[in-house]
Amino acid sequence: QVTLRESGPALVKPTQTLTLTCTFSGFSLTTSGMCVSWIRQPPGKALEWLALIAWDGDKYYSPSLKTRLTISKATSKNQVVLTMTNMDPIDTATYYCARTVAGVNFDYWGQGTLVTVSS
Amino acid sequence: SYELTQPPSVSVSPGQTARITCSGDALPKKFAYWYQQKSGQAPVLVISEDSRRPSGIPEKFSGSSSGKVATLTISGAHVEDEADYYCYSTDFSGGHNGVFGGGTKLTVL
């Protein structure tokens, strides 16, 4: 049974760095073709793909956010971590992690975590 | 930057067929994926690789792609199919630049 769960602060201040952790079970990030992605959704708005980390360590970022994002994995802990620097109120959103097969297929999602950016 | 374009809304009567389109320049060469998101819930994959239906997804959901347009078809739509639907694909770059469409609100009334 595949599960993913996002964790991190619910509230961050402008200019701070956000760190989110995705803890997963039911699959291994060492399996060929397996990846984990981060996706966000501002309230009432569309989904936005942010970043992906692959089983082989390759990392990909949204071009519009790549200077602010870092994705990493702790394979032994079954965790993927996303950091986003210089947070702004427009970054207020629900952040999801998702198992990603072959780099494009988000077949399992976490329930999401709402992050509010406010002073 | 690469964009996928969806109609903001589609409305059908119960039992009718709903069709939601997604247009993008790279779609002739890249697969489209479709996600259903009901209010307050995480998205669910309903169609992968243009037309493959994942296990557990009802047969009423089907997908197709022709040229620059991918289409999600919901046959015999009912109230429980009301949701936001998003397409997803990647651009031509050698790496991975994933993009979601703007989403389509399906109303069944």
Side-chain angles (χ1 to χ4, degrees):
Chain A
Q1 174 192 2
V2 174
T3 65
L4 303 98
R5 185 182 77 252
E6 306 87 353
S7 59
L11 179 66
V12 297
K13 293 183 179 348
T15 76
Q16 285 187 336
T17 294
L18 170 68
T19 299
L20 295 172
T21 301
C22 175
T23 304
F24 58 87
S25 63
F27 68 98
S28 174
L29 204 39
T30 61
T31 301
S32 179
M34 206 60 69
C35 313
V36 170
S37 296
W38 284 94
I39 296 141
R40 72 177 179 180
Q41 185 173 38
K45 296 189 177 181
L47 300 166
E48 179 183 17
W49 174 77
L50 300 177
L52 174 151
I53 189 163
W55 79 100
D56 60 359
D58 283 351
K59 304 171 186 179
Y60 301 94
Y61 298 100
S62 167
S64 63
L65 291 167
K66 67 179 301 181
T67 61
R68 299 173 54 204
L69 296 173
T70 302
I71 192 169
S72 61
K73 61 185 173 86
T75 306
S76 61
K77 296 182 180 179
N78 281 354
Q79 291 182 332
V80 171
V81 175
L82 181 77
T83 62
M84 179 180 290
T85 61
N86 194 25
M87 293 293 285
D88 184 273
I90 63 169
D91 296 313
T92 294
T94 296
Y95 287 75
Y96 296 97
C97 62
R99 189 179 85 159
T100 312
V101 178
V104 286
N105 192 353
F106 310 125
D107 61 350
Y108 290 91
W109 296 62
Q111 83 279 11
T113 186
L114 175 62
V115 178
T116 301
V117 184
S118 175
S119 55
Chain B
S1 62
Y2 186 52
E3 293 184 354
L4 294 173
T5 302
Q6 298 180 236
S9 62
V10 168
S11 182
V12 298
S13 298
Q16 286 190 329
T17 295
R19 293 181 179 85
I20 299 172
T21 59
C22 172
S23 62
D25 287 342
L27 289 180
K29 293 189 178 296
K30 299 291 185 178
F31 285 127
Y33 298 77
W34 290 95
Y35 297 87
Q36 176 195 66
Q37 186 180 33
K38 295 184 177 179
S39 181
Q41 298 182 20
V44 172
L45 176 68
V46 293
I47 293 290
S48 68
E49 296 180 348
D50 290 345
S51 60
R52 297 171 68 96
R53 196 172 50 249
S55 173
I57 300 300
E59 292 183 9
K60 68 191 310 182
F61 292 93
S62 62
S64 62
S65 187
S66 179
K68 295 184 179 181
V69 180
T71 302
L72 172 69
T73 300
I74 306 168
S75 303
H78 290 290
V79 172
E80 60 265 26
D81 300 317
E82 284 198 344
D84 293 321
Y85 290 86
Y86 294 91
C87 62
Y88 177 87
S89 189
T90 56
D91 68 5
F92 289 115
S93 67
H96 178 104
N97 179 23
V99 175
F100 283 97
T104 298
K105 171 66 178 176
L106 175 65
T107 301
V108 182
L109 49 71

